[in-house]
Amino acid sequence: MLVRRGDLAGADAEYRRAIEMLAIDPVRQHTFRSEWLLNCHADRRDEALREVDVALAVDPTYGIAIGLRRLACWRDATALSMVAAVSAWCQCGDGP
């Protein structure tokens, strides 16, 4: 919600606290860190993708991580065109 309001500093602080609390669950911690990077630090997209890939390496069925991976690919593709978005979506997963 803080991101939607444009309060990136507040969102950043909340994400950081939550990431520390998730240290006991590495899959969720990496997934949440990826979400934080995608939402608050768009310039760190590659790092966000590495985080989500680590989560998926531990648990390839974790739906939130799968969704974040697809979202990151979709965001990149929409910058090019909707045709590219569909193509990228299909390459990132099982398609729309």
Side-chain angles (χ1 to χ4, degrees):
M1 183 181 304
L2 293 172
V3 172
R4 289 185 192 144
R5 290 186 194 162
D7 182 7
L8 291 182
D12 186 71
E14 290 297 318
Y15 272 113
R16 287 176 187 266
R17 277 194 289 278
I19 289 166
E20 287 177 22
M21 291 175 28
L22 290 171
I24 59 170
D25 184 347
V27 174
R28 288 182 61 207
Q29 185 180 38
H30 287 290
T31 302
F32 206 78
R33 182 171 166 74
S34 176
E35 181 182 349
W36 162 64
L37 290 168
L38 288 169
N39 285 328
C40 296
H41 300 279
D43 58 317
R44 295 169 66 184
R45 180 197 162 277
D46 291 342
E47 185 180 348
L49 291 177
R50 284 191 299 273
E51 289 290 334
V52 81
D53 287 343
V54 169
L56 289 170
V58 175
D59 182 357
T61 66
Y62 192 58
I64 295 171
I66 293 167
L68 281 172
R69 189 69 159 102
R70 288 181 178 162
L71 176 64
C73 290
W74 183 82
R75 281 182 182 173
D76 286 349
T78 55
L80 301 173
S81 72
M82 282 308 285
V83 172
V86 172
S87 175
W89 180 275
C90 292
Q91 290 173 10
C92 288
D94 56 0

